Amino acid sequence: MVYIGESADLSERIVGTWTRLNRHSAADFSSDEPVARRLAHLREAHGLEFEVSFYAAHHEGRRAPRLSERQWRKGYEARLLWEYRLSMRVSSVANHRRSTLREGDQLTAEDSEAGFPYRVRPSSRPLPRPDREPHSELWMGRRWTFPAHDEDMRQGGSWEASGKELRESGDGIPILYKLLDPANHELLKVGYSRRGSAGACVAASKLPGEKAVAWTPLARGAARQEYVLQEMKDDLIGGYFYQMGEPPARQFSAK
């Protein structure tokens, strides 16, 4: 699998962009088509010919009125990306802001038996299926801090997790974070930060209303690549969609 995506205009995407992939070079795609240009680089580098399939994701009766069609599709896309990672134990090639050979030597060498198109190097380990509620301190196989009001944390409060106090030093550590509604524990948004809890609090400050923040630390080595952080963020969105039937309430909101 090289790419999983969503579109509001199926005919334009398949008849237009995707049909051109097997006929045009990467230079023929504009900067407004970064994924198509990335896939064209792959086709040229490895002599590929792409095949396209689609699924009409009907949301009637399942989409909450507060969500736009695009927000629902984006959540469904994240679920498919996560389900693929769980099933194949490898990520799709061009999702998660992954680069190609032309753009950063992200794939294994062409003469390697383990190289593309057989395996993408390196995929992070997918997060497991959730067996706890999204606000839980053990959601998605990770241990999270207890939710705390973002304003209190910006004023120097201490984070707590499983009975112990967590302290950060310097510029912090890479983390995944959850933003929740403190009134009903609804998950509003997930994300990642290279700046530790400070980055999570900044993200919380951009959403209106009261928010609670929880985060889980990542190993520095595992999170040094942007696509690894994006993979794990998409896992959280996909796992939530699998669990709740919709993306986090403010995940793809403009506000």
Side-chain angles (χ1 to χ4, degrees):
M1 184 80 72
V2 293
Y3 183 74
I4 296 172
E6 57 82 25
S7 176
D9 189 339
L10 184 63
S11 61
E12 188 279 333
R13 181 63 65 90
I14 291 183
V15 178
T17 303
W18 302 124
T19 301
R20 291 165 57 209
L21 276 176
N22 288 324
R23 302 175 182 173
H24 296 263
S25 69
D28 294 328
F29 293 94
S30 71
S31 59
D32 294 330
E33 302 172 291
V35 172
R37 187 163 56 180
R38 185 173 302 161
L39 292 175
H41 279 312
L42 281 173
R43 181 182 60 78
E44 293 172 342
H46 296 281
L48 305 178
E49 182 174 348
F50 294 121
E51 295 181 342
V52 181
S53 63
F54 69 89
Y55 166 67
H58 298 291
H59 55 69
E60 288 80 1
R62 293 185 287 171
R63 175 171 63 89
R66 67 185 178 185
L67 295 173
S68 68
E69 292 186 1
R70 177 184 176 276
Q71 289 171 325
W72 194 87
R73 289 197 312 272
K74 293 295 292 182
Y76 207 117
E77 176 188 53
R79 176 179 174 178
L80 292 177
L81 289 167
W82 170 67
E83 293 272 14
Y84 181 78
R85 278 165 47 77
L86 277 177
S87 175
M88 303 303 293
R89 296 293 167 178
V90 68
S91 294
S92 51
V93 176
N95 288 106
H96 313 294
R97 301 181 185 175
R98 286 176 166 269
S99 61
T100 66
L101 281 168
R102 188 74 60 89
E103 297 173 324
D105 195 24
Q106 184 264 307
L107 305 177
T108 54
E110 292 185 56
D111 58 354
S112 169
E113 294 182 358
F116 180 82
Y118 306 102
R119 189 171 77 79
V120 180
R121 178 189 65 129
S123 293
S124 62
R125 180 176 298 177
L127 299 181
R129 296 190 185 279
D131 58 3
R132 305 290 182 95
E133 292 298 312
H135 64 268
S136 167
E137 69 205 67
L138 297 175
W139 184 55
M140 295 287 290
R142 304 289 307 184
R143 185 174 295 279
W144 302 80
T145 62
F146 296 137
H149 284 270
D150 63 307
E151 291 185 1
D152 294 340
M153 294 301 102
R154 287 200 299 269
Q155 295 173 7
S158 297
W159 299 95
E160 295 182 355
S162 299
K164 67 179 181 180
E165 190 176 53
L166 297 182
R167 297 185 180 278
E168 297 180 280
S169 61
D171 295 327
I173 56 178
I175 65 166
L176 298 172
Y177 64 78
K178 302 186 291 187
L179 306 183
L180 304 110
D181 184 333
N184 57 15
H185 305 299
E186 181 184 19
L187 186 62
L188 302 176
K189 190 173 185 177
V190 299
Y192 60 82
S193 169
R194 296 180 183 275
R195 299 171 48 208
S197 61
C201 288
V202 169
S205 69
K206 296 179 180 179
L207 292 182
E210 292 189 5
K211 289 86 56 182
V213 181
W215 55 271
T216 180
L218 299 172
R220 291 182 184 274
R224 67 179 180 271
Q225 298 288 347
E226 181 76 13
Y227 65 81
V228 172
L229 294 169
Q230 188 68 40
E231 281 174 344
M232 301 184 80
K233 172 187 171 182
D234 287 342
D235 282 358
L236 293 177
I237 300 170
Y240 184 82
F241 197 104
Y242 162 82
Q243 193 172 16
M244 307 300 291
E246 62 182 34
R250 305 301 298 275
Q251 189 68 47
F252 304 110
S253 173
K255 297 182 180 180

